[in-house]
Amino acid sequence: MDDLNRPSSNREAAYSSGAHDQALVGFEALRAQGLGNEADLAREIGLLARSRRTEDLFRLAVAHFEVLRTARDGLNLVAVALRAPSTIPAKERVAFFRIALEAEPRNAEVLARLVEALLAAEDMVGARQVLAHATSWAEPAALAHLRSLIAQAAGDLPIALREAALALRLTEEAGRLLPLAQRQLFQVSTALAYAIRADVAREDCAAAQDKLRLLRECGRYGREQLSIELQLLNRARQREAFRQLLAEQRELAVQSPDSARRIALLARNYLTPAERADFLREAHALAPADVPLLEALLRVLLEAGDAAGGRSLMQSLGSKGPPEAERAALVAILPAAAKPEDPATPVGQIAIFRRRIAAGEGDAAAADLIAFLQREPDAGAVRRELVDYLNPQRRYVEAARLIDLERIAGEPTKLLINWAITLFRGHQYERGAELLARIEARDGETPELAMARISALEMQGDLQGAAAIARERHAKVKTVSLLRLMADQASRLNRFDEARRLLDACDEAEPGDRNTDELRRRNERMEAQQQAWIAEARAVADHLGATPGEELLLGDYFAQFGMVQQASAAYERAVKRREQGRSRGRRRAADPVPPLARAQRIVLLAEAARFDEALALFERLNLSQVDMPTLLRLERAVMRRTLNPRFAVASAQLRAEFGRRSVPSSIRRIAIVGGSNTIMTSGWGRTLEALGERALGLTVHNYGIGASSCLYGWLRIGKDSLFERYDLVLFEHALNDAVYVQNGSMDHGFRRSVLRAIAQECAAKGGRFAMLLTAPRENAEAAINGVDPIIEETRRFCAEAGIDADDPSARMRKLRLPPGAARFGYRDELHYTEAASTDMAVNLLARIATEPAFGMVRHVPPAWADQPGALRSISVAGLEHMKVTGPHKVQHLESAFYSGDFVRLERGARLTTQVGGRLVGLLVNVSADTGHIRVRIGDRVFVKNLFGFRNTNDPTKPRILLRQFETELRLAPGTPVEIDLDLGPADLQKLPHDQTAYASAPQVPLEAQVLEIGGLILC
């Protein structure tokens, strides 16, 4: 390096031999020391040019213009100048181009760049001088280009456009000026297009049309210009000019489907429907798969009275047309007589299916369409149609069975991600994981795919795995929404400090966000609840553990709150205590505690990511000797980890064992009706869905809805024909019924009548029915001790009718627990722990798998039908039975529970009806604006609060609930019923209140409250 710094060094040799990098180092060092001369600078500039180090070249050239001017040592000054970046000040670029012109005085490209630089430097005089100087020698194309540049700078766009078009026409394709001419024409055309838009905005139609004609003359007239000119002619009502222009530009008009649709709409006043149809047919021939264009063509044909033409059009669509699902939607536009409902084709089948859904035959139509798909497995549109129909109804198991991973080629990524989620919801975790892997192999890792993996793992019950993916995603892309998700996961994993840190980060990024505030409040509630209940558990822990069952219960409770060490120790003690009891010869009968405790310990170890220990315990089990409930618990433990290959092997072993055990063929389809414990992710209903499908091959549909009583259950059974459509209905409303009764929203006698009516309906229809005897936390001890009114009444009802029931309290009674211990089966006042919920699910499934007569209603007492006040049916009297006056609006609402027309009443509106019978409740949509209503029945007037707190991520989604009255209101035919919202504070104080279970204070003032009602519930 030192040698290169000296003038007598090897720098010259390096320069001569082409070692440019070494020579540049020497020249730079020489210049830095002030030892170089102009020849050295010239050679350095030359080297920079050859090395294409543009920025260094111009940085050095700016400082040494004279050297650049005199440099001749192999330096192409023109090439150097033409590489001048736009970041160099305009005046310096002018100097570069002047030096280049000295080297090549008649270079048209340098001349054009010089004029551009002069105009950029706002030197119009200099630009005109260059043009005048070049007139004597420059080519016509170059002169036209220069005139266009100067005219554009002067604001004369028409001249600029004409000259640019002339320059491009005169420039030979091989000419070096061609790129500059093309660019100039584009720039001027774009500027003129903006000027046309400005003219249109100013309503200067004449100026806009002049510019449009100029663009047309210069060959710069496109679809946008055609559309604008047609709009101007339409605005001026120039019929003949419109038709003439469209005829002249027909080929251009039909090139774009969107443009063709807009033009056809504009042409309504100038072309007949038949002419517009012909025009759209030309566009359709160029874009046969464009759905909006096809729809426009169909509607024009119908307007022309050519329904047969619409039918022929749809029948003529070949493989180049739109997908079959879109075709079916288009067919729906045609009148019934013109629909090509060929049942031999997928399009025809889908059209028939949609028509039958509209007629209320959705389930029967779905069954027929599934049969068609089995005959034609390549009908992808049919598959999509069925999955889209089943998913909103939460029939995920059926939807998942329809997804064929061997027939997904060509499907869009968004659809495949949704299908993967459907597979997980349908408990086909292995296939869901395979589909996600295929999507990643095809499209790579995307944010949508990462969120799908998180959702999938949460649905599988693997919250630990979901949290790990969320952390990995956040390490790559830091977003506030992801931070909130991670905070929510940390709370649910009982990592409250971590959740606080994440929420603090959310506050820093988005101060005052409502979602963050709500997550923080929930995190604090969960932490306080955990601390209080753990303290309670520890306070009685000294009294527990006398029996294996007590140790097992204590282990479940500790596991609920993430206390892995304490829970694992309790499970281990349960095993050891039972083994000690056996060694002393006590209780030689089969005892489920040891295998159950081992199964629970496997669950716990898997949740704590201690996979080796969990699998080691599993491998020591002889599955053939494990009873059905414990086998189901093991499946529950391993199915969450089937994405782990070792757990997948364990799951396959379990499913093989289930396959070796016979399941009564009389029960294959099960409907669940109940409250929130049926629909919670960790609740008994969801657990039974997953285990039933994976272990026993059952189809389980969940019709649960939170905070609902037995009256809702009866309505749901009748509305959806559950006894006719399912082999078994599982009914879980005792817990909510207890809340209703205790709160005064329902009395014992009415509840008893509802249950008897359900049993009679089941027996009459030959259905099967079983109940779960759940109870609120505060009633748990009373239920165990046989003194809880609701549980005891339900036990008597089941005994009288010969109805099977799952009785968690009775099972806990057998454990002989000390006072207070039963509370450890609950996560809060109304919801069971995951362990207790699993216990209910596996006991029900074990009975279904081993008792052929399970669920049969054996002997309904005939006297029930003759009891005074006996109920025989339940129905919804819709809007057709109501009269509404005052401010109101009818709207169609849909939810998983109910869909139909609802009327929205505001203050000043009144609803009246004269239906006779027994009025037991109202079908309402509970929104953020719901509140108090006044009800007048004859001389009786009372107030009812319909609002209930809503915990949902989508507050706009309808929340349709049955709000029942405290007692049935018996109405003689013609009895007027009035409902309004014209209440004041004095009315709330003075009038009696009809109690509503799970109600909360309205969130809006009285004058802003509304009522959205869809019907009256009559028995």
Side-chain angles (χ1 to χ4, degrees):
M1 182 69 70
D2 292 339
D3 290 340
L4 286 173
N5 290 342
R6 291 194 295 271
S8 59
S9 69
N10 293 330
R11 182 182 64 252
E12 300 296 334
Y15 177 73
S16 302
S17 64
H20 294 167
D21 289 341
Q22 292 184 35
L24 278 173
V25 170
F27 282 124
E28 289 170 3
L30 192 67
R31 179 165 40 82
Q33 298 173 24
L35 301 176
N37 53 34
E38 288 191 0
D40 293 322
L41 283 168
R43 280 182 288 184
E44 186 176 359
I45 290 173
L47 284 173
L48 288 170
R50 293 188 194 101
S51 302
R52 309 197 71 81
R53 288 167 57 175
T54 305
E55 292 185 7
D56 292 336
L57 166 64
F58 283 96
R59 175 175 47 79
L60 185 60
V62 166
H64 301 281
F65 271 119
E66 292 306 316
V67 175
L68 179 65
R69 185 187 300 275
T70 59
R72 291 291 182 272
D73 190 4
L75 179 62
N76 186 335
L77 290 175
V78 171
V80 171
L82 292 178
R83 289 212 302 275
S86 59
T87 54
I88 293 177
K91 290 182 179 179
E92 294 175 1
R93 278 187 282 133
V94 168
F96 289 145
F97 293 128
R98 288 193 187 279
I99 293 172
L101 274 179
E102 291 177 8
E104 294 185 22
R106 296 194 175 190
N107 187 304
E109 187 177 5
V110 175
L111 186 70
R113 296 290 294 274
L114 173 58
V115 170
E116 287 180 355
L118 286 165
L119 293 173
E122 300 182 356
D123 186 357
M124 180 67 77
V125 174
R128 292 185 188 278
Q129 289 174 346
V130 172
L131 174 60
H133 174 70
T135 303
S136 62
W137 58 266
E139 295 289 335
L143 292 175
H145 180 67
L146 297 182
R147 287 194 295 269
S148 177
L149 290 171
I150 293 171
Q152 183 181 9
D156 193 342
L157 291 178
I159 290 180
L161 181 66
R162 287 193 179 98
E163 294 291 348
L166 177 61
L168 187 61
R169 193 163 57 249
L170 296 174
T171 301
E172 297 180 3
E173 289 191 9
R176 298 175 63 183
L177 192 63
L178 180 62
L180 291 179
Q182 290 172 329
R183 184 185 70 181
Q184 174 63 8
L185 184 58
F186 172 78
Q187 289 178 342
V188 178
S189 302
T190 302
L192 204 61
Y194 280 115
I196 290 169
R197 293 179 193 173
D199 290 340
V200 172
R202 291 193 305 270
E203 298 187 359
D204 190 349
C205 298
Q209 286 181 316
D210 287 342
K211 293 183 179 69
L212 285 164
R213 279 192 291 273
L214 178 60
L215 285 172
R216 195 158 60 245
E217 291 171 11
C218 295
R220 303 301 294 175
Y221 192 81
R223 292 192 299 270
E224 180 183 356
Q225 286 70 43
L226 174 61
S227 178
I228 290 174
E229 190 164 6
L230 287 171
Q231 290 178 41
L232 292 173
L233 293 172
N234 176 56
R235 187 181 299 178
R237 295 291 187 266
Q238 298 181 24
R239 173 185 173 84
E240 291 307 317
F242 187 102
R243 291 176 62 91
Q244 181 180 350
L245 178 62
L246 187 56
E248 292 174 355
Q249 302 292 332
R250 183 93 166 195
E251 184 177 349
L252 177 64
V254 298
Q255 283 181 359
S256 163
D258 290 341
S259 176
R261 283 190 298 108
R262 288 194 296 268
I263 291 172
L265 191 61
L266 276 177
R268 289 177 65 90
N269 298 322
Y270 311 108
L271 300 179
T272 66
E275 288 175 324
R276 281 186 284 128
D278 290 340
F279 170 77
L280 288 173
R281 277 197 182 96
E282 290 183 40
H284 168 63
L286 298 175
D290 189 85
V291 175
L293 180 63
L294 255 177
E295 181 179 350
L297 176 53
L298 279 175
R299 294 193 185 281
V300 171
L301 286 169
L302 292 178
E303 184 183 347
D306 189 7
R311 179 190 180 99
S312 299
L313 174 68
M314 295 307 299
Q315 289 177 327
S316 66
L317 292 176
S319 60
K320 293 182 179 180
E324 290 167 347
E326 283 78 2
R327 295 189 197 194
L330 292 168
V331 166
I333 297 173
L334 296 172
K339 289 181 179 177
E341 294 179 350
D342 181 358
T345 67
V347 172
Q349 281 285 333
I350 291 173
I352 294 169
F353 176 62
R354 291 179 178 177
R355 178 169 49 78
R356 292 180 67 186
I357 289 176
E361 303 173 8
D363 288 343
D368 291 341
L369 197 57
I370 290 172
F372 176 84
L373 182 62
Q374 291 170 344
R375 296 192 302 271
E376 303 286 343
D378 291 325
V382 171
R383 193 182 316 280
R384 291 191 293 273
E385 187 79 11
L386 283 167
V387 174
D388 288 346
Y389 171 75
L390 295 169
N391 269 340
Q393 301 180 54
R394 299 191 297 199
R395 295 166 63 177
Y396 304 123
V397 170
E398 288 176 279
R401 290 173 180 168
L402 295 175
I403 296 173
D404 187 345
L405 298 188
E406 301 308 315
R407 291 180 169 86
I408 60 172
E411 298 289 8
T413 299
K414 184 176 180 181
L415 175 69
L416 293 182
I417 287 177
N418 289 337
W419 279 8
I421 296 299
T422 296
L423 289 170
F424 276 92
R425 283 177 172 158
H427 317 298
Q428 296 192 20
Y429 307 131
E430 295 86 353
R431 296 178 67 225
E434 180 183 349
L435 181 51
L436 290 177
R438 290 192 189 185
I439 296 170
E440 182 179 12
R442 188 181 78 176
D443 303 335
E445 182 65 36
T446 63
E448 295 77 14
L449 185 59
M451 295 307 297
R453 291 189 189 281
I454 292 171
S455 299
L457 287 170
E458 290 206 7
M459 282 183 281
Q460 197 175 357
D462 186 3
L463 188 54
Q464 295 267 14
I469 292 180
R471 288 193 297 272
E472 291 174 7
R473 182 68 190 158
H474 186 257
K476 299 176 183 176
V477 182
K478 292 177 170 54
T479 64
V480 178
S481 59
L482 204 52
L483 278 173
R484 291 196 195 101
L485 172 63
M486 293 164 62
D488 177 54
Q489 291 171 332
S491 290
R492 287 183 286 151
L493 288 167
N494 304 301
R495 300 170 182 168
F496 305 111
D497 289 338
E498 178 183 340
R500 265 190 293 274
R501 288 194 297 273
L502 291 166
L503 292 171
D504 289 343
C506 292
D507 278 334
E508 290 179 8
E510 293 183 2
D513 182 81
R514 291 174 56 188
N515 294 321
T516 302
D517 293 342
E518 175 56 33
L519 283 173
R520 191 180 297 279
R521 286 192 292 271
R522 189 168 69 181
N523 186 60
E524 292 169 355
R525 286 196 305 269
M526 292 174 67
E527 183 178 24
Q529 182 184 75
Q530 186 206 49
Q531 291 173 349
W533 286 13
I534 287 177
E536 185 178 359
R538 285 173 173 157
V540 299
D542 293 339
H543 303 290
L544 290 176
T547 68
E550 292 174 17
E551 291 284 14
L552 185 60
L553 181 67
L554 193 60
D556 290 346
Y557 191 77
F558 283 133
Q560 177 72 26
F561 295 105
M563 302 172 68
V564 175
Q565 292 182 346
Q566 295 91 329
S568 184
Y571 293 144
E572 190 64 31
R573 289 196 301 271
V575 175
K576 289 181 178 178
R577 286 183 182 278
R578 185 63 199 113
E579 290 173 350
Q580 290 170 359
R582 287 187 183 279
S583 65
R584 291 193 293 269
R586 294 184 304 173
R587 295 175 66 183
R588 295 183 180 278
D591 188 342
V593 170
L596 175 57
R598 287 195 178 96
Q600 295 289 62
R601 190 147 186 257
I602 291 170
V603 175
L604 181 72
L605 291 169
E607 290 297 318
R610 291 159 61 177
F611 301 138
D612 290 338
E613 296 174 70
L615 290 166
L617 271 178
F618 179 83
E619 290 165 1
R620 287 162 49 193
L621 290 171
N622 185 340
L623 296 182
S624 64
Q625 297 178 359
V626 175
D627 61 9
M628 181 61 79
T630 305
L631 205 63
L632 289 163
R633 285 186 177 87
L634 288 169
E635 171 62 18
R636 170 72 166 166
V638 302
M639 74 181 187
R640 295 182 169 191
R641 304 286 174 176
T642 53
L643 304 190
N644 180 314
R646 296 177 64 194
F647 276 92
V649 171
S651 180
Q653 293 174 353
L654 282 166
R655 298 177 82 172
E657 180 62 29
F658 285 119
R660 286 191 286 271
R661 305 192 184 194
S662 61
V663 179
S665 58
S666 53
I667 298 178
R668 305 308 305 165
R669 291 170 53 84
I670 299 174
I672 295 175
V673 183
S676 55
N677 280 287
T678 68
I679 56 175
M680 289 167 47
T681 302
S682 60
W684 73 268
R686 296 290 188 215
T687 303
L688 189 139
E689 283 182 54
L691 289 176
E693 196 281 331
R694 290 180 63 84
L696 305 180
L698 304 176
T699 298
V700 184
H701 293 155
N702 199 320
Y703 293 92
I705 186 169
S708 58
S709 74
C710 61
L711 185 65
Y712 158 80
W714 186 23
L715 177 64
R716 194 66 192 254
I717 287 172
K719 184 179 77 70
D720 291 295
S721 305
L722 300 188
F723 285 140
E724 294 90 337
R725 294 169 50 212
Y726 293 90
D727 304 320
L728 172 67
V729 175
L730 297 176
F731 196 84
E732 187 267 307
H733 286 287
L735 186 149
N736 282 330
D737 287 351
V739 175
Y740 275 61
V741 170
Q742 291 166 9
N743 144 283
S745 305
M746 181 169 64
D747 60 44
H748 284 282
F750 180 72
R751 177 177 183 267
R752 187 182 309 115
S753 296
V754 170
L755 294 181
R756 288 179 174 180
I758 294 172
Q760 290 170 337
E761 182 178 342
C762 180
K765 294 179 178 178
R768 295 194 183 207
F769 180 72
M771 300 187 69
L772 281 85
L773 277 55
T774 51
R777 186 175 191 248
E778 64 176 332
N779 297 9
E781 293 292 337
I784 289 174
N785 296 326
V787 294
D788 179 70
I790 291 292
I791 295 298
E792 288 307 301
E793 182 178 70
T794 310
R795 285 171 177 158
R796 286 194 297 272
F797 161 75
C798 291
E800 291 174 9
I803 291 173
D804 289 309
D806 182 73
D807 194 338
S809 302
R811 282 198 300 278
M812 295 192 77
R813 183 190 303 163
K814 294 178 181 178
L815 295 176
R816 300 178 182 177
L817 300 173
R823 297 168 65 82
F824 301 147
Y826 293 80
R827 59 183 298 173
D828 57 38
E829 293 301 327
L830 298 173
H831 301 107
Y832 288 88
T833 62
E834 183 173 340
S837 298
T838 300
D839 187 60
M840 289 183 236
V842 299
N843 277 283
L844 281 166
L845 286 172
R847 295 186 65 182
I848 291 169
T850 57
E851 299 177 18
F854 183 78
M856 296 182 67
V857 180
R858 296 169 180 82
H859 44 77
V860 174
W864 282 1
D866 302 325
Q867 292 283 338
L871 303 175
R872 290 177 174 79
S873 65
I874 185 170
S875 61
V876 179
L879 299 191
E880 66 274 12
H881 298 280
M882 307 176 194
K883 179 181 178 182
V884 181
T885 58
H888 69 281
K889 179 176 68 175
V890 176
Q891 55 195 347
H892 187 82
L893 300 179
E894 294 186 7
S895 75
F897 165 39
Y898 187 87
S899 64
D901 289 338
F902 281 66
V903 59
R904 178 185 172 94
L905 281 69
E906 299 179 358
R907 198 171 180 84
R910 174 167 299 178
L911 180 153
T912 58
T913 182
Q914 293 185 336
V915 295
R918 297 154 81 169
L919 178 62
V920 296
L922 307 174
L923 191 66
V924 299
N925 179 42
V926 179
S927 69
D929 301 328
T930 302
H932 293 90
I933 61 171
R934 177 168 51 190
V935 182
R936 181 179 283 107
I937 302 176
D939 296 332
R940 182 184 174 191
V941 182
F942 59 89
V943 173
K944 188 170 184 67
N945 175 21
L946 301 177
F947 182 73
F949 177 74
R950 179 175 195 156
N951 184 16
T952 177
N953 293 327
D954 185 1
T956 63
K957 188 177 180 180
R959 186 191 182 203
I960 300 172
L961 299 178
L962 190 168
R963 288 303 202 192
Q964 66 189 75
F965 294 114
E966 294 177 10
T967 58
E968 56 184 285
L969 304 171
R970 301 194 179 193
L971 308 177
T975 303
V977 177
E978 295 183 359
I979 300 175
D980 63 51
L981 299 104
D982 297 330
L983 292 161
D987 296 311
L988 296 183
Q989 296 289 331
K990 180 178 62 177
L991 294 175
H993 285 245
D994 188 273
Q995 293 299 316
T996 301
Y998 298 111
S1000 48
Q1003 295 180 326
V1004 296
L1006 273 171
E1007 58 273 14
Q1009 292 172 11
V1010 302
L1011 167 65
E1012 292 177 308
I1013 182 170
L1016 311 174
I1017 309 300
L1018 300 172
C1019 290

